[in-house]
Each structure stands twice: as C-alpha cells, then as structure tokens.
Amino acid sequence: MEQIKRNSRIVRIFAQLGIYFAILGAIFVIFMMIETPAGTNLSIHHINIPMNSLPMWDKIAISIIIFCFLAVFLMACIYLKKLFALYEQGIIFDDKNVKYMRGFSYSIILYSIVNSFSGIVPPTHKIFEPDLVSFIIGVIFLVISMVIDEGRKIKQEQNLTV
Amino acid sequence: MAIIITLDVMLAIRKMRLNNLAEKVGITPQNLSILKTGKAKAIRLHTLDAICKTLECQPGDILKYISDDEVKS
C-alpha cells in the first residue's frame, strides 16, 4: 500500500502540472491569435500552416480546435489528479475511484473524436481522419473502470461480512 | 432477506451486553452490531463458532429462516 501511495503522489504531481500546462497553453493561444509573430507555423495533421498568411476566420477556427484539445487535456488531467489523490490517501475500490476512472476514459474517447475532426480547419481541408488508437485506449480504460466497479462491489460485500 | 438474525434475543436470554460478547468473540462491537441489525451479507463459520461457544447455543438459535410469503404477510 505504501508503494501505491508513493507512486500515486508522483502521478498526481504530474497531473497537477498538466493542469497548469493546459491553462498556460490557453493563455498562449489567445496571445498568438491576437498578435502572431512573423514566421510562426502551426502543424496540423503533419501540414505546416503559416499563421501570418491566414485570414481572421481561419485563425479563429484553428484556435477553437486548439481550445477543444486543451479542454479535453484539462479534463483528463483533472480526473487523473483526483483519482491519484484518492490512491495517495489509500482509498481504493471506492465509488469515487470508479467515477474518476470513468471520467478519464471518457476524456480519452473525447480526445480521439476531437483529433479525428481536427483536420476540418480551412487550411488542411481534411474532413475526417479517424484516431482509432486513442479511441481503443479510451475504451480499454472504460472497461478497466467497469472491472474496478466490480471490485468495489466485492469490497462492499467483504465489509459486510462478519 | 429470508434469513433473520435473532442474536438480540439470545443476548437478552443470556443477559449479556453486545460489547461483552464482542470482547469474548474477538470481533469489534461495530461488526457485531452489523450482524445484530441484520445488515450483514455473510457470516464466517469461525465467527459463528465463536458466538455459539460464548453463548452456549446452536447456530439455529441465532439464525432463523422465514419464507418470503411469511415476510410479505
């Protein structure tokens, strides 16, 4: 249990840093959209887009896509932080564990959806490029959360065994 | 559930308190309270053995089966 607590603390700190990174990233994107420095390129689906040559509406579309990515990343980090904070306190197989694990898996599935449609922005014009890897990872985490839910039920029953 | 626990009746007959029984059986009073109030989902044979030994009774004296029809009526 001590090892779980120690390792969970490390993961929780990284998740916390991820939250700060997402917030700073959002501020950075806003600044970049207001005043783009000369020679700034943005890579979407391996296509380099020169930001200065883009019209205003394209910039707005790109910033919406980036904000969607940051929002999903922030969501995943918040769920991870909460989940590992519980592990750090030694709380395992609890209702909240299942809830946060499920939230984390949904955020990965959401990431795969956002990534699949990220090419929709005008300069790339790729309507749909499926991100199957993230989707499968998200589904795997969802199944793991269901297994944890079964473990929670067993623990609850064990607690009521005299 | 159709199984009811009559531990409180047996404790009254033996004029014993729940805390004393818990101490003699070697389980916490909280766990014994779960058993007494019927919230328990399962009972270990080891615990049942210790309770029967302390109260000098049979398992049937503290566990009763009531059919679903009787429960409804």
Side-chain angles (χ1 to χ4, degrees):
Chain A
M1 195 66 193
E2 281 308 308
Q3 203 175 0
I4 293 174
K5 284 183 182 178
R6 210 170 35 243
N7 291 339
S8 298
R9 186 180 158 78
I10 296 164
V11 180
R12 205 251 309 146
I13 290 167
F14 273 107
Q16 186 90 50
L17 289 175
I19 293 170
Y20 296 143
F21 175 78
I23 294 165
L24 286 175
I27 295 166
F28 178 73
V29 170
I30 292 166
F31 274 111
M32 287 295 279
M33 290 303 148
I34 293 168
E35 200 150 332
T36 315
T40 307
N41 284 344
L42 181 74
S43 177
I44 296 178
H45 284 272
H46 309 294
I47 299 168
N48 280 327
I49 306 158
M51 291 291 285
N52 281 82
S53 62
L54 289 176
M56 193 59 194
W57 288 111
D58 288 1
K59 278 186 180 180
I60 291 169
I62 289 170
S63 51
I64 288 170
I65 288 288
I66 294 171
F67 275 122
C68 285
F69 271 117
L70 288 174
V72 172
F73 181 69
L74 187 67
M75 183 181 160
C77 284
I78 288 171
Y79 279 123
L80 261 191
K81 190 205 138 200
K82 285 182 174 178
L83 179 68
F84 282 91
L86 286 178
Y87 289 154
E88 202 181 331
Q89 291 163 31
I91 301 168
I92 53 169
F93 296 114
D94 192 73
D95 289 348
K96 283 180 183 172
N97 289 117
V98 179
K99 189 180 147 193
Y100 297 148
M101 190 71 174
R102 200 162 286 171
F104 178 66
S105 49
Y106 284 140
S107 59
I108 292 179
I109 291 170
L110 211 59
Y111 169 82
S112 75
I113 294 166
V114 171
N115 202 19
S116 300
F117 287 100
S118 63
I120 208 163
V121 287
T124 56
H125 292 298
K126 282 183 181 175
I127 301 300
F128 184 71
E129 203 175 271
D131 181 9
L132 276 176
V133 178
S134 304
F135 185 77
I136 290 166
I137 291 171
V139 172
I140 288 169
F141 274 109
L142 197 61
V143 174
I144 292 171
S145 77
M146 288 169 186
V147 173
I148 293 173
D149 195 29
E150 287 303 310
R152 178 192 62 82
K153 285 176 192 164
I154 293 168
K155 194 198 170 195
Q156 211 169 37
E157 213 166 87
Q158 180 66 28
N159 286 344
L160 290 173
T161 299
V162 180
Chain B
M1 197 165 65
I3 300 286
I4 58 160
I5 312 285
T6 54
L7 185 67
D8 46 354
V9 178
M10 209 59 211
L11 282 170
I13 292 168
R14 297 283 184 262
K15 289 179 182 151
M16 194 183 272
R17 290 176 70 90
L18 193 78
N19 284 349
N20 294 345
L21 180 65
E23 202 177 302
K24 283 179 181 169
V25 169
I27 60 171
T28 60
Q30 287 86 356
N31 271 346
L32 208 56
S33 177
I34 287 170
L35 182 66
K36 201 185 104 179
T37 51
K39 287 177 190 164
K41 293 234 175 185
I43 178 165
R44 290 190 189 93
L45 288 178
H46 174 79
T47 312
L48 192 60
D49 174 70
I51 292 170
C52 289
K53 198 180 278 176
T54 310
L55 294 176
E56 293 171 349
C57 65
Q58 291 298 312
D61 296 331
I62 51 172
L63 298 173
K64 290 269 187 294
Y65 170 74
I66 295 176
S67 67
D68 288 336
D69 297 335
E70 278 180 82
V71 173
K72 278 173 195 166
S73 63

